[in-house]
Amino acid sequence: MNSPHQVMLLSEMKPGQFADSFVLLVSKERSITRDGKPYFRAHFRDNSITATAMIWSDTTWFEDCESNWTEGEFYKVRARYDESKYGPQLDIDRIRLANADDEADGFDPGFYFKRSRFSSEEMFQELTEITNTEISDVPLRNLVLDILSAYEEQIKTIAAASKNHHAFTGGFLEHVLSVTKTACYLADKYLAYYQKMQPPLNKSLVVAGAILHDIGKLRELEYKPHGSQYTPAGRLVGHILLGRDLVREHAVKIEGLNPEMLLRLEHLIVAHQNLPEWGSPIAPHTPEALLVHYADDVDAKFHMMATTLENVLPGSQEEFSSRDNALRRSIFVGLKSNE
Amino acid sequence: MNSPHQVMLLSEMKPGQFADSFVLLVSKERSITRDGKPYFRAHFRDNSITATAMIWSDTTWFEDCESNWTEGEFYKVRARYDESKYGPQLDIDRIRLANADDEADGFDPGFYFKRSRFSSEEMFQELTEITNTEISDVPLRNLVLDILSAYEEQIKTIAAASKNHHAFTGGFLEHVLSVTKTACYLADKYLAYYQKMQPPLNKSLVVAGAILHDIGKLRELEYKPHGSQYTPAGRLVGHILLGRDLVREHAVKIEGLNPEMLLRLEHLIVAHQNLPEWGSPIAPHTPEALLVHYADDVDAKFHMMATTLENVLPGSQEEFSSRDNALRRSIFVGLKSNE
Amino acid sequence: MNSPHQVMLLSEMKPGQFADSFVLLVSKERSITRDGKPYFRAHFRDNSITATAMIWSDTTWFEDCESNWTEGEFYKVRARYDESKYGPQLDIDRIRLANADDEADGFDPGFYFKRSRFSSEEMFQELTEITNTEISDVPLRNLVLDILSAYEEQIKTIAAASKNHHAFTGGFLEHVLSVTKTACYLADKYLAYYQKMQPPLNKSLVVAGAILHDIGKLRELEYKPHGSQYTPAGRLVGHILLGRDLVREHAVKIEGLNPEMLLRLEHLIVAHQNLPEWGSPIAPHTPEALLVHYADDVDAKFHMMATTLENVLPGSQEEFSSRDNALRRSIFVGLKSNE
Amino acid sequence: MNSPHQVMLLSEMKPGQFADSFVLLVSKERSITRDGKPYFRAHFRDNSITATAMIWSDTTWFEDCESNWTEGEFYKVRARYDESKYGPQLDIDRIRLANADDEADGFDPGFYFKRSRFSSEEMFQELTEITNTEISDVPLRNLVLDILSAYEEQIKTIAAASKNHHAFTGGFLEHVLSVTKTACYLADKYLAYYQKMQPPLNKSLVVAGAILHDIGKLRELEYKPHGSQYTPAGRLVGHILLGRDLVREHAVKIEGLNPEMLLRLEHLIVAHQNLPEWGSPIAPHTPEALLVHYADDVDAKFHMMATTLENVLPGSQEEFSSRDNALRRSIFVGLKSNE
Amino acid sequence: MNSPHQVMLLSEMKPGQFADSFVLLVSKERSITRDGKPYFRAHFRDNSITATAMIWSDTTWFEDCESNWTEGEFYKVRARYDESKYGPQLDIDRIRLANADDEADGFDPGFYFKRSRFSSEEMFQELTEITNTEISDVPLRNLVLDILSAYEEQIKTIAAASKNHHAFTGGFLEHVLSVTKTACYLADKYLAYYQKMQPPLNKSLVVAGAILHDIGKLRELEYKPHGSQYTPAGRLVGHILLGRDLVREHAVKIEGLNPEMLLRLEHLIVAHQNLPEWGSPIAPHTPEALLVHYADDVDAKFHMMATTLENVLPGSQEEFSSRDNALRRSIFVGLKSNE
Amino acid sequence: MNSPHQVMLLSEMKPGQFADSFVLLVSKERSITRDGKPYFRAHFRDNSITATAMIWSDTTWFEDCESNWTEGEFYKVRARYDESKYGPQLDIDRIRLANADDEADGFDPGFYFKRSRFSSEEMFQELTEITNTEISDVPLRNLVLDILSAYEEQIKTIAAASKNHHAFTGGFLEHVLSVTKTACYLADKYLAYYQKMQPPLNKSLVVAGAILHDIGKLRELEYKPHGSQYTPAGRLVGHILLGRDLVREHAVKIEGLNPEMLLRLEHLIVAHQNLPEWGSPIAPHTPEALLVHYADDVDAKFHMMATTLENVLPGSQEEFSSRDNALRRSIFVGLKSNE
């Protein structure tokens, strides 16, 4: 039915089909067969599925793979697609780097990466402004500004997670900014309500905590546009501890920072996931930590639900989404008329 | 040290002490001894402790107690205070209704009841205005207005709970108004963020749900200024189901109310406590239910924490509160200098 | 080995095989491709497996599918069977409605549907008799009779669940009748044992509760002979709440119904699944609710175990069943001799 | 108010009161003071409270206590009652064994012990008859008869538990007989329903299992009319394992007993508490074990609820019982009119 | 690419490939088709995968399979390998028993079975020596020696589990010896530390308990060199109870064995898995039981982790193992340089 | 019975008794009455109970208490002992510092403090020797030595916990040394067993980890001979994070320390409590972390059990200890003869 060399998406290929396709090299892993020969497992994907090409040492592409193929680059491949017990497979006949001319054939790198729909520049600027206007405690404000400027590039690009929520370029910043705004709202509100608390609710701390609660993600995840991965420290120590480290490292340089304020900020980071089974060794013991926990949690969970509803196909007659989302729950789409 | 007939607070009396005191009759319970004689257990309290007076059938006050003593009224008693294995006891020597003249002796009924620090009138008006301005779906708005006007008096007076949080006169309204404002904030925010959701986030539903999420409390609790109590239906069916009933009863009278909208509102009420072990038989399956759950939960938990910090004694040298609060957790008060 | 147009069961076809088969159209779902063209996913099954036919807009059967194919009807198809990553697939070459003449070729609609082995007529009559003889409280009896007669047809046909237990035509009635008989037995027994309970065990309530405990299934599930499905209200509100609604709707019409009796009946329905994690927001707080819970639970769990043992193949040498049953547990079949 | 030497119940005495009382000696424990002198802690009770008398070596009653006082006997004491941080205390002035003449003063030993309201003789006879008529498998029947006759006296007297349910003389037999009858009912019923199970439901096994499921209680508890206590083996090994031992010991003597039948009976005993956290290391894997679990569980739980409602005081105005019962749950008593 | 009759491993064959292979017959199961004809499902494996050959009654190998094929024997097969929805399949063209001559073609039975790297003879001797030197209580020592000698052959060969840990020939003995050594170490250590315990730590009991803690595995598992399987008693009663039985059976023959010592040993066996959800109906209530629990648990868990790290492929660039191990956890392998 | 001014232990005084006693001032807390007057709550204890003296501003001892009374000092008091709803109370008549002459009256400060039965000097020396001989990795050894020498005094004195286990002076060192020895044993053992692990088990890391696993206790607890207390950082951040901080602070100064080694050591500290609900945000992902977890856990739990058995009174006839110990479990003491 299809001509052999047509250009099509990897995810549209059927078992046994032979076609051209633009694909992203996600990773290549070197390994060794039982009889001691090296080979590579190269993983290519489009925006929805990933297929593996086995590159044996005695085959055409071994040397090219070893020397030249680069993770994160796009390639045009001519290959046979198959499905084995190990999942989707590609048997590569030809391969070359994709280039500008390919765009005439419909190649669009942006198609392969998800990114925030908001400008990282603008989000970062807005976060900086909030820092300047909403954190009245000067040393605390300086601490936040110091961290923001030290990691500006990373903050502007990394994802908030490897999957689950905001798992795309700029997702970290999008999430942090949203959490911070909600935290400002809640701080203003409850500061006005509960005026007899001793000590009073500290809005500077709420805002600083919201901005920094997930800062350990900078060390927990190794950002790649084609998908973030956990670092060894991320898996062995975790972003909560790594984030507290980062804050403490910068805190020593901030003149006049109140030690109790720093302790409260550390506690807020440690406690922001609320329960041991959700990752926090200690539950919130201050009102500021409580507010940041809620501002964070509602943003993450709402994102999961919103994403599910954004991906409902127009014209679908299903009344509920599938359970295949980060909430592991079918979301109600709406009643369908029966006529 | 004290003259015998001095006027003092019940909670200041020591075992064996004999004194005058202004107390509130919380309840009187009729019961029968093993040998078939009736007696009353009468519970009196001030603003912090409750003591029991046993009124046997062959004693002075039995007839007066049976005929005249009224729950919710204040009395001036002259009595001996003691502590037995059944808790604090009062042995009444004299008793009469408190009256206006007693204010000269320091009697102040307001001292015995906790109530919201906000005016119920103003809160109710604000809630009505939010209904009018933020619920654009006309039948849904009419449903909310119908319920608000039908139960205006109750809504203005009842507590949000028998204990735990907002357990005081006007507490229900204070909590609902606060939840509603947060829900408005979150709805506006996420409506702007996630414009491709299908269907879009329905702000009218979020606001209506926030106002009505706890409406079953009107049937779950029997309000008394001296402490709310669960009704039998409250214990056997629960406020979640009772609230959904109330909404459905009014919904049949509302012209043009979309059945799917009503179903979503019912779901929101059913799901607002999020997890089975927290009381919701079904978890949130719509974004509107998710937002109301968070707006509700942060308000309840923050109230618990704020109340704890409001009650820290000035001059206390403790760095943490006791664990004796609704969160069962010591709240951090602050570092104390050691000099 | 097989001639191409032989008639065989769908579940006997091997990948790549082309044959004729009688199949049931379970559902057809309209959807839209990325490039905007409509298509159908049609699901056909025999008594054990389900296969999907993709009907693209530019293929032979699209129009026929769109206009004529009807869920719940039987078809004779000539098709190629295959297994893809999306599961079993059918590529349809010919299709027509099955008809009476096909029975000569071995077509038997009864083969495709599971149904209770008991007569719905007789079961319904028995349930009505129990109502008349065992519920001595007249208004309560009238309430049950009113509901039984109002939904007689549905009660006679629906399944007790979409899967898990009694998931077949008439299964609801089979389960309810069995629960009711056990409940009668337990009520008689414990009424005789515990004569000093205050109030005494109310057999009328136990029996009425047993009959009505699952009545919400009428609204939770949409019955189809080819498999029941949850309604939106079933998923968003649940059969426990829907069943209580139904009872309350009918209760308003029953003269003389004691409000406390109705409250106890509502509680029984709400509590019949015993624990929050099993679906009941409130645990049994009355002896009647306790008895109905056990009568219900033993019947459901015994059905799961019995069905597993009914399906053991004769001649099998396995000492335990597989774990692939509703109890997720291997059931002991028996020791096998080793000679 | 009272004359000093009046006869009254221990539980009616007030701190500081001096009176005569008939009491049961529950236990006396010898211990040693820090400075090496022996003393006794003697525990006396009436039907509701227990008080301790400290008998020091240099006091009047030491020798009499050491030589003569016997656990399980009744005494008339003249003593001062007090409440210390160690609980109720008795300071004994006079003490002697209660005797027949004391009945003129109202002494009634039956008042101090709870026992089954059914005759142990009749219950035992009924259980034997059920064994003979309902267990058609002859060796299995012989096994049960052998055990019943070997432990007839114990079976007629012991309690089913040290507290929780059926914790009184004859309670074990009352519970076992009730479970057995329910098990017969369920076995008959489901045997008729599910005729295609392979193997078929074995009623003999269900009945034998019901009779023997708790037989380990004979070794787990040391029966005393004044309250059963766990044996060391009961605490270190548990009644489930001890019961299986007992059955196996007798099984070796039974001619013709099918080994698979014995294995199924052992499994039934091991699994009858259903879940690890309820005490069964293995869940029911046979239909017979499932039925006995339910017959047992409903009887135990109903007893807890029934006992609670039997103990509601006549004339009480409470709508719910206290939570101080084995279910840790307030049981609904009924609505109270408000006039 | 491959010549058809080459000899290759089953696990190296690709779908559709036809080749010779040496395989182990793991099991053959007789069953019956819907139309009443018998057939066999024969399971063959190499050291990593298992494939099924369906032997229909009207095919070549049926009679040979029925009469001659023997579980646990090796065969040389010429067959076509395929993968169906039922997993890997073999279509057998020729089959014969493997024999000594085949070793020239690389056939090595040892390749197919995992076994302990330690000599069973030496391990058994070491365990006997420990018994003789470390158990000073003579009757207890005799009990252990009696059991060791009665089951010497089984103890030397069986696996410690069907999977999870030490699941290979000799694995039981390897695990028991290791646990016993650790238990000796801990007993010596804590005996020296805590000299005032009453009663003192009993090292004889710790050592005997370590040797016997898992002795029920002899009855729980049916050892086969090609993989152990649970016995019916193993699944219905469990190794904890079966082990205690075995000990008690031997204990009756041991002169002078202290009943309390036996009770403590039984408790130790019953409690050695520590928690109900891990299989122990009762938690450790003696220090000896506590020590054996830890000695056992650390050995099992360390084996799981060590095995995972032994199986990391040399040259792998992965920093963590897969989660596909008995701990369900990725084990850290090490940082990889990035150059 | 007693002369009024006899010297007796606080814990031997009865309510209402007036006597002399040597007591330790545990703490004094300044607070303010409702009417604004200052007062002190002074807590005195002997080796088993604590009593409170209220020192009002208008009473004799206020000024002395405010100016002179010092926490951690011993006093001789003449006081009346009582028990109120606030617990044991002392009404002080006379008070002065205890002094050397009082030893003639039996005063012994050592009686009031628990401390390790081992010499801190010798334990510290032993730990240093283990460091030198068992940690072959030089930079890692230097890191441990650096930490040991920096905190030598604290390490020699602090307790391992505020209660639960090793809660006495020197308890931290006693526990750490014991854990380290067990860890050495396990490391040697498994290093020999599993020689093919990649990477091999690192004994240096196991030993260093054992020594440092609880090092955060130095910052979590504020040591006082009369009872350790949590620091604010201990409650808000926890000893696991604080210990990792301490290690990292010293690690930066150690030349040649391998970054992966440090990461593994950090992970070990983070993971040593194994499960989130036991305090570790991340489970052990390395074999070294696994071993230290077990070495730590068995030592803590054995200590709890041993302490319980050390405290059984000689001559006691109880077969089980009370449940009032850190394991919340009755420990088996032994069978008691019945004659």
Side-chain angles (χ1 to χ4, degrees), chain C residues 237-274:
Chain C
V237 175
H239 83 272
I240 280 187
L241 278 64
L242 296 172
R244 178 176 159 269
D245 289 350
L246 191 154
V247 166
R248 286 165 56 87
E249 290 162 20
H250 285 262
V252 295
K253 302 180 302 188
I254 304 300
E255 209 171 335
L257 184 63
N258 182 335
E260 177 171 338
M261 183 69 84
L262 178 59
L263 175 60
R264 286 175 176 273
L265 178 58
E266 292 178 39
H267 170 68
L268 187 155
I269 293 171
V270 167
H272 86 265
Q273 300 197 173
N274 200 28

Side-chain angles (χ1 to χ4, degrees), chain A residues 245-257:
Chain A
D245 289 349
L246 192 153
V247 165
R248 284 166 57 86
E249 291 162 18
H250 285 262
V252 296
K253 303 179 301 186
I254 304 300
E255 208 172 334
L257 184 64

Side-chain angles (χ1 to χ4, degrees), chain A residues 35-282:
Chain A
D35 51 353
K37 294 186 190 154
Y39 68 93
F40 285 95
R41 245 178 280 124
H43 302 292
F44 295 97
R45 72 164 170 83
D46 66 0
N47 70 330
S48 73
I49 77 161
T50 299
T52 303
M54 303 301 290
I55 311 294
W56 309 104
S57 64
D58 51 1
T59 59
T60 318
W61 294 108
F62 184 79
E63 210 176 297
D64 191 31
C65 172
E66 185 161 43
S67 316
N68 304 321
W69 297 4
T70 311
E71 296 180 1
E73 292 286 354
F74 290 96
Y75 291 87
K76 183 175 189 184
V77 296
R78 175 167 300 171
R80 177 187 157 92
Y81 174 79
D82 252 314
E83 288 167 12
S84 79
K85 66 176 166 174
Y86 306 108
Q89 302 290 316
L90 275 188
D91 193 0
I92 295 180
D93 190 53
R94 298 201 194 163
I95 181 167
R96 66 159 171 80
L97 275 172
N99 58 44
D101 294 349
D102 290 327
E103 293 176 18
D105 287 347
F107 168 59
D108 170 14
F111 173 77
Y112 294 76
F113 298 140
K114 251 194 100 181
R115 62 154 43 249
S116 173
R117 69 202 129 206
F118 303 104
S119 148
S120 283
E121 279 310 323
E122 290 171 16
M123 290 193 289
F124 189 82
Q125 194 172 332
E126 192 174 357
L127 197 63
T128 307
E129 281 167 21
I130 291 173
T131 305
N132 280 315
T133 56
E134 307 293 331
I135 305 182
S136 59
D137 181 294
V138 176
L140 191 61
R141 185 201 307 154
N142 289 340
L143 173 62
V144 175
L145 289 173
D146 189 49
I147 291 172
L148 288 181
S149 76
Y151 304 94
E152 177 172 347
E153 278 323 299
Q154 255 187 290
I155 288 170
K156 281 179 181 165
T157 47
I158 72 165
S162 73
K163 46 189 179 196
N164 281 336
H165 76 96
H166 298 89
F168 48 73
T169 301
F172 173 82
L173 184 49
E174 181 179 324
H175 172 61
V176 165
L177 181 58
S178 175
V179 171
T180 303
K181 287 176 179 174
T182 300
C184 281
Y185 169 80
L186 293 172
D188 285 336
K189 163 181 188 147
Y190 287 118
L191 195 48
Y193 261 52
Y194 297 102
Q195 299 180 5
K196 297 197 303 179
M197 278 167 53
Q198 280 308 330
L201 183 68
N202 189 318
K203 184 182 171 187
S204 289
L205 181 57
V206 174
V207 178
I211 296 174
L212 299 177
H213 79 284
D214 258 357
I215 198 73
K217 299 269 180 180
L218 271 65
R219 295 178 177 176
E220 184 187 49
L221 295 173
E222 185 181 11
Y223 169 74
K224 295 184 186 166
H226 47 285
S228 297
Q229 289 189 316
Y230 283 90
T231 61
R235 294 174 82 161
L236 295 173
V237 175
H239 83 271
I240 279 188
L241 278 65
L242 295 172
R244 178 176 159 271
D245 289 349
L246 192 153
V247 165
R248 284 166 57 86
E249 291 162 18
H250 285 262
V252 296
K253 303 179 301 186
I254 304 300
E255 208 172 334
L257 184 64
N258 183 335
E260 177 172 336
M261 183 69 85
L262 178 58
L263 175 60
R264 286 175 174 274
L265 178 58
E266 291 179 41
H267 169 69
L268 186 154
I269 292 170
V270 167
H272 86 265
Q273 300 196 173
N274 199 28
L275 296 178
E277 56 271 37
W278 300 348
S280 273
I282 288 183

Side-chain angles (χ1 to χ4, degrees), chain C residues 69-281:
Chain C
W69 298 4
T70 311
E71 297 180 3
E73 294 285 355
F74 291 96
Y75 292 85
K76 182 174 189 185
V77 295
R78 177 165 299 169
R80 177 188 158 91
Y81 174 79
D82 252 313
E83 289 168 10
S84 79
K85 66 177 167 175
Y86 306 109
Q89 302 289 318
L90 276 188
D91 193 358
I92 295 179
D93 190 54
R94 297 200 194 165
I95 181 168
R96 67 160 171 79
L97 274 173
N99 57 44
D101 294 349
D102 290 326
E103 293 177 18
D105 287 346
F107 167 60
D108 170 13
F111 173 77
Y112 295 76
F113 297 140
K114 255 195 94 183
R115 61 156 43 251
S116 174
R117 68 203 130 207
F118 303 104
S119 148
S120 284
E121 279 310 324
E122 289 171 16
M123 290 194 289
F124 190 82
Q125 194 173 332
E126 192 174 356
L127 198 63
T128 307
E129 281 167 20
I130 292 173
T131 305
N132 280 314
T133 58
E134 307 294 332
I135 305 182
S136 58
D137 181 295
V138 176
L140 192 60
R141 185 200 308 152
N142 290 340
L143 173 62
V144 175
L145 290 173
D146 188 49
I147 291 171
L148 288 181
S149 75
Y151 303 94
E152 178 171 347
E153 278 324 299
Q154 253 187 292
I155 288 170
K156 281 178 180 166
T157 46
I158 72 165
S162 71
K163 46 190 179 195
N164 282 337
H165 75 96
H166 298 89
F168 46 74
T169 301
F172 173 82
L173 184 50
E174 181 179 326
H175 172 60
V176 165
L177 180 59
S178 175
V179 170
T180 302
K181 288 176 179 175
T182 301
C184 280
Y185 169 80
L186 294 172
D188 285 336
K189 164 183 187 145
Y190 287 118
L191 194 50
Y193 261 53
Y194 296 103
Q195 300 180 3
K196 296 197 304 178
M197 277 168 52
Q198 281 306 331
L201 183 68
N202 190 318
K203 184 181 171 186
S204 289
L205 181 58
V206 174
V207 179
I211 296 173
L212 299 177
H213 78 285
D214 259 358
I215 199 71
K217 297 272 181 179
L218 272 66
R219 296 179 176 175
E220 184 188 48
L221 295 173
E222 185 181 11
Y223 169 73
K224 295 183 186 168
H226 46 284
S228 298
Q229 288 189 318
Y230 283 90
T231 60
R235 295 174 83 162
L236 295 173
V237 175
H239 83 272
I240 280 187
L241 278 64
L242 296 172
R244 178 176 159 269
D245 289 350
L246 191 154
V247 166
R248 286 165 56 87
E249 290 162 20
H250 285 262
V252 295
K253 302 180 302 188
I254 304 300
E255 209 171 335
L257 184 63
N258 182 335
E260 177 171 338
M261 183 69 84
L262 178 59
L263 175 60
R264 286 175 176 273
L265 178 58
E266 292 178 39
H267 170 68
L268 187 155
I269 293 171
V270 167
H272 86 265
Q273 300 197 173
N274 200 28
L275 296 178
E277 54 271 36
W278 299 348
S280 274

Side-chain angles (χ1 to χ4, degrees), chain B residues 313-322 336, chain F residues 25-33 37-44 50-57 62 65-67 69-72 86 89 224 226 229 235:
Chain B
L313 294 178
S316 157
Q317 287 301 304
E318 300 293 329
E319 294 180 317
F320 285 82
S321 78
S322 85
K336 301 300 172 187
Chain F
L25 177 61
V26 180
S27 61
K28 65 174 192 193
E29 296 154 12
R30 195 178 205 276
S31 199
I32 291 171
T33 61
K37 295 188 189 152
Y39 67 94
F40 285 94
R41 245 178 279 123
H43 302 291
F44 295 95
T50 299
T52 302
M54 303 301 290
I55 311 295
W56 309 102
S57 63
F62 184 79
C65 171
E66 183 161 45
S67 315
W69 298 3
T70 312
E71 296 181 3
Y86 307 108
Q89 303 289 319
K224 296 184 186 166
H226 46 283
Q229 288 189 316
R235 296 174 83 160

Side-chain angles (χ1 to χ4, degrees), chain E residues 38-202:
Chain E
Y39 68 93
F40 285 94
R41 243 178 281 123
H43 302 292
F44 296 96
R45 72 164 170 84
D46 66 1
N47 70 331
S48 73
I49 76 162
T50 299
T52 302
M54 303 300 291
I55 311 294
W56 309 104
S57 65
D58 52 0
T59 59
T60 317
W61 294 108
F62 184 79
E63 210 176 297
D64 191 31
C65 171
E66 184 161 44
S67 314
N68 304 320
W69 297 4
T70 310
E71 296 181 3
E73 293 286 354
F74 290 97
Y75 291 85
K76 182 173 188 185
V77 295
R78 177 165 300 168
R80 178 188 157 91
Y81 175 79
D82 252 314
E83 288 167 12
S84 80
K85 65 177 167 174
Y86 306 108
Q89 302 290 316
L90 275 189
D91 193 1
I92 294 181
D93 190 52
R94 297 200 194 166
I95 180 167
R96 68 161 171 78
L97 275 172
N99 58 43
D101 294 349
D102 290 328
E103 294 178 17
D105 287 346
F107 168 59
D108 171 13
F111 173 75
Y112 294 77
F113 299 140
K114 254 196 95 182
R115 63 156 41 252
S116 174
R117 69 203 130 206
F118 303 104
S119 149
S120 284
E121 280 310 321
E122 290 171 16
M123 290 193 290
F124 189 84
Q125 195 173 330
E126 192 173 357
L127 198 63
T128 307
E129 281 167 21
I130 291 173
T131 304
N132 280 314
T133 57
E134 306 294 332
I135 305 183
S136 58
D137 182 294
V138 177
L140 191 60
R141 185 202 307 152
N142 289 340
L143 172 63
V144 174
L145 291 172
D146 188 50
I147 290 171
L148 288 181
S149 75
Y151 305 92
E152 177 172 347
E153 279 323 300
Q154 254 187 291
I155 289 170
K156 281 178 181 166
T157 47
I158 72 165
S162 71
K163 46 190 179 192
N164 281 337
H165 75 97
H166 297 89
F168 47 74
T169 301
F172 174 82
L173 184 49
E174 181 179 324
H175 172 61
V176 165
L177 181 58
S178 176
V179 171
T180 302
K181 287 176 179 175
T182 301
C184 281
Y185 169 80
L186 293 172
D188 286 337
K189 164 181 187 149
Y190 287 118
L191 195 48
Y193 261 53
Y194 296 102
Q195 301 180 3
K196 297 196 302 178
M197 276 168 52
Q198 280 309 330
L201 183 67
N202 190 317

Side-chain angles (χ1 to χ4, degrees), chain B residues 247-261:
Chain B
V247 165
R248 284 165 58 85
E249 290 162 18
H250 285 261
V252 297
K253 303 179 301 187
I254 304 300
E255 208 171 335
L257 184 63
N258 183 335
E260 177 171 338
M261 184 68 85

